[in-house]
Amino acid sequence: GPGNYYSDFLTENDIVGVRLFAGMKAHTIILPESAKEIANYVFYQNKHLTKAVIGKSITKIGNYAFSGCKALERITIPASVTTLGGNAFYGCTALETVTFAEGSKIKKIDANTFYKCNSLTNISLEDLALTEIGNSAFYQCFALTGIDFTKFTSLTKMGTLAFRETAVVDVD
């Protein structure tokens, strides 16, 4: 049933592998604490997933990992994650809240990471010591407002169209 603990789905390298979730219909996924990485495309276009609990040992969320998860509403990225793949949440149209855990080490929001997350209203970007925001990272996040760019003291690169078609103002 929903909320099962999917420790059976680890590959030999403690990577949550893509083939293991093909066609999965659970609404909640709790990734085991032993998992170290979420591979590329693991939950790609999963229409049922509303909640994912990412284990505190995960260091990498792969490219397109949650892309097209149209029912996913909120996600917390643990402090252990250092790499957030490009297109990781592309097209997660119900995603409203993204929380980066206290002590997060993420320095880069890659290209298209939150592209077309048009319900996104809450994201704790100011808590990160970001150095780079990639091209189209928040493109068409229509509901996104109120990001305080004065907090981005480490930011050296802002990609093209990073905040295009959002409600964020003063992006210079």
Side-chain angles (χ1 to χ4, degrees), residues 125-141:
L125 283 181
E126 293 95 340
D127 298 339
L128 304 177
L130 287 177
T131 57
E132 185 175 338
I133 298 175
N135 296 344
S136 304
F138 296 94
Y139 192 10
Q140 292 185 349
C141 292

Side-chain angles (χ1 to χ4, degrees), residues 4 8 19 28 31 49 52 58 70 83 94 106 142 155 161:
N4 285 343
D8 299 345
R19 66 191 178 281
T28 299
L31 297 176
L49 192 65
I58 298 273
K70 294 189 184 307
T83 305
I106 289 176
F142 301 119
L155 195 66
L161 308 177

Side-chain angles (χ1 to χ4, degrees), residues 39-51:
N40 298 344
Y41 292 95
V42 171
F43 301 104
Y44 183 68
Q45 294 191 342
N46 183 311
K47 305 287 189 284
H48 306 282
L49 192 65
T50 57
K51 182 180 181 195

Side-chain angles (χ1 to χ4, degrees), residues 22-147:
M24 185 191 77
K25 289 187 168 60
H27 294 286
T28 299
I29 180 88
I30 300 170
L31 297 176
E33 291 298 327
S34 56
K36 303 285 187 283
E37 183 176 318
I38 300 174
N40 298 344
Y41 292 95
V42 171
F43 301 104
Y44 183 68
Q45 294 191 342
N46 183 311
K47 305 287 189 284
H48 306 282
L49 192 65
T50 57
K51 182 180 181 195
V53 179
I54 299 174
K56 290 179 177 55
S57 300
I58 298 273
T59 58
K60 178 181 180 184
I61 297 174
N63 299 333
Y64 293 93
F66 293 94
S67 178
C69 290
K70 294 189 184 307
L72 187 66
E73 296 169 353
R74 58 180 44 87
I75 195 102
T76 296
I77 314 283
S80 56
V81 173
T82 55
T83 305
L84 190 55
N87 300 281
F89 296 95
Y90 180 108
C92 292
T93 51
L95 186 64
E96 293 177 12
T97 303
V98 176
T99 305
F100 293 98
E102 194 174 339
S104 177
K105 296 166 199 67
I106 289 176
K107 301 272 186 255
K108 178 181 181 183
I109 304 290
D110 222 325
N112 305 319
T113 300
F114 296 100
Y115 189 166
K116 291 191 179 175
C117 291
N118 45 29
S119 299
L120 186 63
T121 51
N122 302 302
I123 184 164
S124 55
L125 283 181
E126 293 95 340
D127 298 339
L128 304 177
L130 287 177
T131 57
E132 185 175 338
I133 298 175
N135 296 344
S136 304
F138 296 94
Y139 192 10
Q140 292 185 349
C141 292
F142 301 119
L144 192 60
T145 61
I147 291 177

Side-chain angles (χ1 to χ4, degrees), residues 5-23:
Y5 194 79
Y6 289 97
S7 56
D8 299 345
F9 290 131
L10 288 181
T11 62
E12 60 282 355
N13 301 318
D14 294 331
I15 294 172
V16 179
V18 63
R19 66 191 178 281
L20 306 167
F21 293 96

Side-chain angles (χ1 to χ4, degrees), residues 107 149 172:
K107 301 272 186 255
F149 288 95
D172 293 320

